[in-house]
Amino acid sequence: MALITLQDAQLAYGHVALLDHTDFALESQERVGLIGRNGTGKSSLLKILGGLERPDDGTLQVQTGLRVAYVPQEPDLDPSASVFEAASLGLAEARQARDLYLSGAEGLDLDLLQGRIEALNAWNWEQRVEETLQRLHLDGNHTVGQLSGGNRKRVALAQALVSRPDVLLLDEPTNHLDMDSITWLEDLLLEYRGSVVTISHDRAFLDRVVTRMVELDRGRLLSYPGNFAQYQALKEEQLAQEAVINARADKLLAQEEVWIRKGVEARRTRAQGRITRLERLREQRAQRRDAVGRVRLEVASGGASGKIVAELDRVSKSFPSADGGIRTVVRDFSATILRGDKVGLIGPNGAGKTTLLKLILGELSPDSGTVRQGSQISVAYFDQLRDQVNLDATLEDFISPGSEWIEIGNRRTHVKSYLNDFLFSPARANAPVRTLSGGERNRLLLARLFARPANVLVLDEPTNDLDIDTLELLEDLLQQYEGTVFLVSHDRRFLDNVVTSTIVSEGDGVWREYVGDVEDWLTQSTRAQELQRQRAPEPAKPLEAAAPAPAPASPPAAGKRKLSYKEQREFDDLPAKIKALEDEQAAIDSALAGGQLFATDASRATQLSARHAEIEEEWMQALERWQALGGT
């Protein structure tokens, strides 16, 4: 039996139906990923499932005694409260019941109240809060106002989890979390014994966590078994079939419209059935809600910068810390950024990614070392905290103050037409920015960013609140962009599809540059750690008191050790084996290039990706064996 059932639900804002006679059922131990375009009503649906909002029509059935916890996209926490106090609000009912029992007030039915306390497990609610905080790596004594956005998200999760809910409803849980925190959240949800419904646009997160995808599309809820990769394959097939069906219906309607205009035959009694069918076809065509248009992204690259964008030599930067000491954010960092590089900056919240960016772009002077700027650099910023947004300005004035026209490269575009490319209708051009949702504001920021010619783009967390279709289009644009890109993001899939190198925080102000994307960084760093471990000298063994003095070692034999027949055969075969592995890996890289294989044959692409990782390990083992046998 389903835990939560929504039947024939209807919800509309204005003339747009967000839920159009739709159904949903959540089963036990399901992990559902809820996706859809910005503004389609995903958050409203999640609140309806949590009983926080009501649909315009339809029924919501919830199993008796079911505990449901909802974590909003932007947690509303008291900044002056301690972490322990904020988390314990999730047990408000249990705290109230125990406090009432201990108050000894007159007229209380203590037997009834004790039964309620035991049902809520309220006698030891403090222990439950402490255990949850420990599991989420939170210090209960810290003040909420001092926490980063990622840790505030953890406090909101703690507030939900202390009640031990049967159903967990999460609205964009990965926003503001760094990569380590996202991995931690994935592990937490995989171990969670209840059911989960989560809104997310993090494709790697959805691939690892969910067991079913549900898409809110044009007022309907469409269910797809499996994770996001499986959804993509099924969705592509569904859209192709839908296009064929609609094309046939449109052709039939056109034929019947021609027939009805003849007029004479339609007056015969035997034609009345045909007229009725025509009316039904017209009604179906009017009710059909075609797929929402896609954002059309275009960016003016401006004039080309010099070949070198920035050159840093042993740069360091420190700031006073809260305890009165000095905190080094960047330590002895050297790098050369060239025109056309697409650089991803990776590190936990507070590591200093923004500081490093300002050093690279010359907006901050280093304490030591030198920074040489390239020539003819023009920089455009995408601001993570949306400080650039004037909420009272109209969309039109925000994009192009004082002018109705925008120059994009060699093309002159009217601002209303340009806004329409970003899915803002001309009717909304004069609406204030404050009427937009979070995702729509991010889309508006992208529109303003791309309206200004620049040869260096700095994008600080651009993926928050953007729907998946817009993310994929932004990826395509950045791949084709001829200028230089600095990308700060915790979205692993987005980084993998865009960047050509990564600069990674390795703690204590140390930053290191790696060639390739996130997967390449992980592979290279793992290999470096393994080699470092192998090269580390073994600790000296303590001498025993009664041990006799060792005999003097015989002098080493001149030259290399003579190999056995079997070892010599192995040594001779290893170069060919190494070459074959390299050729196989190059063939896989070619097959996976561009991502087309994932769309046409997802299982084959997954197999090749797994084989790519195996080859890396086999190649390393073969190379180490060749060196051990005397290779140089």
Side-chain angles (χ1 to χ4, degrees), residues 342 344 495 499-502 514-521 524:
K342 296 176 176 61
L495 286 166
V499 303
T500 57
S501 66
T502 56
Y514 293 89
V515 176
D517 56 24
V518 176
E519 291 300 322
D520 294 321
W521 155 54
Q524 293 173 59

Side-chain angles (χ1 to χ4, degrees), residues 100-101 103-113:
L100 184 61
Y101 184 92
S103 68
E106 295 182 5
L108 292 177
D109 186 339
L110 295 181
D111 290 337
L112 181 64
L113 192 55

Side-chain angles (χ1 to χ4, degrees), residues 126-144:
E126 294 97 341
Q127 182 181 349
R128 288 168 60 182
V129 174
E130 290 171 357
E131 289 175 352
T132 304
L133 293 180
Q134 184 178 5
R135 187 181 181 194
L136 303 189
H137 309 294
L138 289 168
D139 187 336
N141 296 319
H142 286 171
T143 303
V144 171

Side-chain angles (χ1 to χ4, degrees), residues 50-361:
L52 303 175
E53 289 185 4
R54 295 178 59 86
D56 297 336
D57 199 1
T59 58
L60 177 69
Q61 297 176 350
V62 180
Q63 272 193 15
T64 304
L66 191 75
R67 295 187 300 274
V68 181
Y70 167 75
V71 180
Q73 184 173 340
E74 298 294 340
D76 184 14
L77 303 171
D78 182 359
S80 63
S82 70
V83 169
F84 183 90
E85 292 169 346
S88 64
L89 291 177
L91 291 174
E93 185 181 359
R95 293 175 59 182
Q96 183 181 16
R98 195 185 73 173
D99 291 346
L100 184 61
Y101 184 92
L102 296 177
S103 68
E106 295 182 5
L108 292 177
D109 186 339
L110 295 181
D111 290 337
L112 181 64
L113 192 55
Q114 181 171 351
R116 183 182 171 200
I117 290 173
E118 291 175 352
L120 295 171
N121 195 15
W123 289 119
N124 60 343
W125 67 262
E126 294 97 341
Q127 182 181 349
R128 288 168 60 182
V129 174
E130 290 171 357
E131 289 175 352
T132 304
L133 293 180
Q134 184 178 5
R135 187 181 181 194
L136 303 189
H137 309 294
L138 289 168
D139 187 336
N141 296 319
H142 286 171
T143 303
V144 171
Q146 299 174 338
L147 301 179
S148 65
N151 279 332
R152 290 190 186 192
K153 203 83 166 187
R154 291 191 185 214
V155 174
L157 281 168
Q159 194 178 93
L161 290 172
V162 291
S163 63
R164 297 176 183 170
D166 304 299
V167 175
L168 196 55
L169 306 176
L170 306 175
D171 193 347
E172 292 286 2
T174 62
N175 277 7
H176 310 301
L177 295 185
D178 54 39
M179 285 190 182
D180 290 341
S181 296
I182 292 173
T183 301
W184 160 85
L185 178 61
E186 290 172 349
D187 293 338
L188 178 74
L189 294 179
L190 289 171
E191 295 173 1
Y192 180 62
R193 296 182 180 180
S195 297
V196 178
V197 181
T198 177
I199 299 172
S200 180
H201 300 134
D202 187 325
R203 293 157 291 180
F205 173 80
L206 292 171
D207 266 341
R208 185 167 180 224
V209 169
V210 306
T211 58
R212 176 163 66 107
M213 295 294 302
V214 173
E215 181 183 20
L216 182 52
D217 180 26
R218 291 163 281 171
R220 299 172 298 165
L221 285 175
L222 307 174
S223 181
Y224 303 85
N227 61 11
F228 181 78
Q230 293 167 302
Y231 151 79
Q232 281 184 304
L234 294 170
K235 180 66 176 180
E236 185 176 352
E237 181 181 348
Q238 173 205 326
L239 288 176
Q241 294 174 349
E242 185 177 296
V244 171
I245 293 170
N246 289 342
R248 288 174 179 168
D250 290 343
K251 183 178 180 180
L252 178 59
L253 176 59
Q255 292 172 347
E256 295 301 280
E257 292 287 2
V258 171
W259 169 80
I260 197 67
R261 288 188 179 93
K262 293 181 180 178
V264 177
E265 295 180 8
R267 288 194 292 268
R268 299 175 184 173
T269 303
R270 59 191 177 90
Q272 289 304 308
R274 192 170 179 180
I275 294 173
T276 302
R277 184 180 66 167
L278 173 59
E279 291 173 348
R280 187 170 65 251
L281 286 170
R282 286 173 174 172
E283 183 180 357
Q284 289 172 352
R285 181 64 184 89
Q287 290 180 350
R288 187 198 308 164
R289 297 174 65 184
D290 292 325
V292 180
R294 304 188 77 189
V295 176
R296 291 190 289 274
L297 298 180
E298 184 178 358
V299 62
S301 298
S305 66
K307 183 177 180 181
I308 293 179
V309 173
E311 191 172 28
L312 293 82
D313 183 29
R314 303 180 70 84
V315 168
S316 295
K317 186 67 180 178
S318 301
F319 296 96
S321 61
D323 58 4
I326 298 295
R327 176 173 174 252
T328 301
V329 178
V330 179
R331 186 188 303 276
D332 203 26
F333 177 69
S334 299
T336 300
I337 310 298
L338 302 178
R339 180 180 65 232
D341 284 352
K342 296 176 176 61
V343 184
L345 278 79
I346 300 173
N349 295 327
K353 298 185 289 293
T354 301
T355 299
L356 181 57
L357 263 178
K358 289 182 176 180
L359 288 169
I360 293 172
L361 298 174

Side-chain angles (χ1 to χ4, degrees), residues 426-536:
R428 300 184 69 187
N430 294 317
V433 174
R434 66 173 64 255
T435 62
L436 303 181
S437 67
E440 289 174 324
R441 289 183 191 178
N442 263 15
R443 206 189 312 146
L444 186 68
L445 273 176
L446 287 174
R448 192 171 93 158
L449 176 75
F450 295 149
R452 285 152 174 74
N455 49 40
V456 176
L457 292 182
V458 179
L459 297 104
D460 195 352
E461 290 292 355
T463 62
N464 283 352
D465 302 323
L466 290 183
D467 57 58
I468 291 172
D469 284 346
T470 307
L471 277 179
E472 292 174 346
L473 288 169
L474 181 57
E475 288 172 355
D476 292 340
L477 176 74
L478 294 177
Q479 288 167 3
Q480 299 166 20
Y481 179 62
E482 296 178 355
T484 306
V485 176
F486 292 97
L487 178 59
V488 179
S489 178
H490 301 305
D491 188 321
R492 296 152 292 179
R493 189 69 54 81
F494 186 76
L495 286 166
D496 279 341
N497 292 340
V498 172
V499 303
T500 57
S501 66
T502 56
I503 298 177
V504 183
S505 169
E506 299 192 341
D508 196 27
V510 176
W511 295 82
R512 182 166 283 112
E513 186 176 11
Y514 293 89
V515 176
D517 56 24
V518 176
E519 291 300 322
D520 294 321
W521 155 54
L522 293 173
T523 300
Q524 293 173 59
S525 60
T526 301
R527 183 188 301 174
Q529 292 169 6
E530 178 64 22
L531 289 175
Q532 186 175 6
R533 185 187 62 79
Q534 292 175 357
R535 291 170 182 168

Side-chain angles (χ1 to χ4, degrees), residues 550-566:
S554 57
K560 295 189 293 184
R561 173 179 69 87
K562 182 176 176 62
L563 301 179
S564 67
Y565 174 80
K566 184 177 180 181

Side-chain angles (χ1 to χ4, degrees), residues 352-377:
K353 298 185 289 293
T354 301
T355 299
L356 181 57
L357 263 178
K358 289 182 176 180
L359 288 169
I360 293 172
L361 298 174
E363 298 178 4
L364 196 62
S365 299
D367 296 337
S368 62
T370 59
V371 179
R372 183 166 70 92
Q373 300 296 318
S375 59
Q376 300 178 334
I377 293 175

